[in-house]
Amino acid sequence: MDVVLERLPGAVACVRIDRPEARNALSRAVRERLAEIFTDLAADDGVSCAVLTGTDKVFAAGADIKAMSNAQPVDMMLRAGERTWAPIKDFPKPLIAAVNGFALGGGCELAMHADIIIAGEGARFGQPEIKVGIIPGAGGTQRLVRAVGKFKAMKILLTGEPVMARDAEAMGLVSEVVPDAEVLERAIDLARQIAALPPLAARKIKELVLQGSDLPLESALVLERHAFQLMFGTADQKEGMAAFLEKRPPSFTGR
Ligand code: CAA
């Protein structure tokens, strides 16, 4: 299996790309399996937060160059790669990328589909597509500029040169850098911490951050206000506030 799904205690799922012989290149089979897994996890009430990771040397080296070197535009259109990215893009629950080693091309784009990125000190992020005569095709020109701003993004995209984890963190592409050996453990701990909080609130926060950033501020604020009001219809709001006032730990039900 090139992609392994593990359900962990604490309502956390861990999805691991495991194709080291091809540096976790995102073949069609890998992308289809990822799509299948994220579709299932979205509907799984037993999972509140997911971690996406690779192997200890590479997160993912991008799209499978061997599978597209002779492709024509029509072949690429018929492959409709966007269909396999959609379940990850639309995954409604918090998603944490745990990145060791290379996250290049589609691998960097995959990491940018996550909501939080935990990187090892030796991780490297890059969009080297220009070096093989193409451009990023899974959101790299758009998500990267939104994450780090025009001038950092342009340098990464136009040179194809990777940036180290610490630099990526400084420019806003990484949430937290930890020693390489602690990446997965830290990501899973964080996932458990988030999964223990009210899942409906977590989903709304994710939705608002992602949808709101592409809207005019006033429209985004209206969306936020409505979602904020909606939270008062949840059992977890009643429980969370009651527990605070009664000075006891809350017991959330996800309702
Ligand atoms: N696609 C297909 N095969 C790949 C691959 C990729 N993206 N990356 C690595 N491999 C294969 C190599 O061809 C090699 O296979 P063989 O053993 O059959 O020769 C094997 O994995 C090992 O690769 P290396 O010897 O290069 O391994 P390394 O450890 O020395 O280097 C690396 C690792 C820096 C990640 C290097 O493999 C590399 O630069 N890979 C390509 C990165 C890249 O250009 N990615 C962009 C792809 S295009 C894209 O992603 C488009 C998009 O936006 C969706």
Side-chain angles (χ1 to χ4, degrees), residues 200 226-238 254-255:
L200 290 174
H226 290 167
F228 173 73
Q229 291 159 355
L230 197 59
M231 289 294 105
F232 288 80
T234 65
D236 283 347
Q237 174 269 326
K238 297 287 174 281
R255 308 295 298 178

Side-chain angles (χ1 to χ4, degrees), residues 21-23 25 61-66 68 102 104-106 109 128-129 136-137:
E21 70 287 357
R23 302 302 183 263
D64 194 320
I65 297 172
K66 286 176 188 163
M68 62 186 180
F102 293 102
L104 299 180
E109 291 167 306
E129 286 88 344

Side-chain angles (χ1 to χ4, degrees), residues 121-202:
E121 281 163 342
R124 288 177 208 204
F125 296 80
Q127 299 288 165
E129 286 88 344
I130 194 166
K131 292 184 175 178
V132 291
I134 58 169
I135 66 167
T141 60
Q142 303 308 309
R143 289 198 180 88
L144 188 62
V145 72
R146 282 163 173 75
V148 306
K150 173 183 165 186
F151 296 102
K152 296 288 187 190
M154 284 288 198
K155 190 174 165 202
I156 292 168
L157 292 159
L158 291 173
T159 65
E161 287 300 312
V163 291
M164 292 297 298
R166 291 275 176 214
D167 295 332
E169 182 189 34
M171 65 178 76
L173 180 56
V174 159
S175 313
E176 195 177 312
V177 177
V178 299
D180 287 334
E182 294 169 22
V183 171
L184 188 56
E185 190 188 337
R186 173 65 185 140
I188 290 172
D189 279 353
L190 205 53
R192 287 213 173 100
Q193 185 186 339
I194 293 168
L197 294 166
L200 290 174

